Amino acid sequence: SRKKEPALPSLTQVQFDTACGVLGLGKHPYGKPVSEELIRDSKRAAAKMFHPDVSGESKREQFQAVMQSAEWLERYNEQLK
């Protein structure tokens, strides 16, 4: 019987790289999990910087990008399990 290859996550490599960039995580290998603590800490730091209550409405899009990126990476990690 053939050994089954692990399924790749539904997040594309471009989305993965973009999410890592938005959160300021640098380059991570696609197909490997990203530390949950790193995602959480980066999300918190970026969210504080871009939150509309702190930085005004002009940063709302950046704030939404941070939250979406963190969600993508959390889902990515779940799919790798």
Side-chain angles (χ1 to χ4, degrees), residues 1 8 10 15 18 28 33 40 44 48-49 51-52 55 57 61 65 74-75:
S1 80
L8 286 176
S10 62
Q15 290 171 317
T18 300
H28 281 276
R40 183 192 65 230
R44 284 182 182 165
K48 283 181 186 177
M49 189 167 35
H51 196 283
S55 61
E57 286 298 313
E61 284 185 30
E74 289 163 355
R75 202 168 353 133

Side-chain angles (χ1 to χ4, degrees), residues 14 18 30 33 46 63 66 75:
V14 171
T18 300
Y30 182 68
F63 176 75
V66 165
R75 202 168 353 133

Side-chain angles (χ1 to χ4, degrees), residues 42-81:
S42 297
K43 173 182 158 183
R44 284 182 182 165
K48 283 181 186 177
M49 189 167 35
F50 296 123
H51 196 283
D53 289 347
V54 175
S55 61
E57 286 298 313
S58 64
K59 300 292 184 183
R60 182 175 291 280
E61 284 185 30
Q62 288 99 326
F63 176 75
Q64 290 171 336
V66 165
M67 302 310 284
Q68 180 68 55
S69 295
E71 183 181 317
W72 279 359
L73 292 178
E74 289 163 355
R75 202 168 353 133
Y76 165 86
N77 279 344
E78 284 298 314
Q79 293 171 348
L80 288 176
K81 290 181 182 178

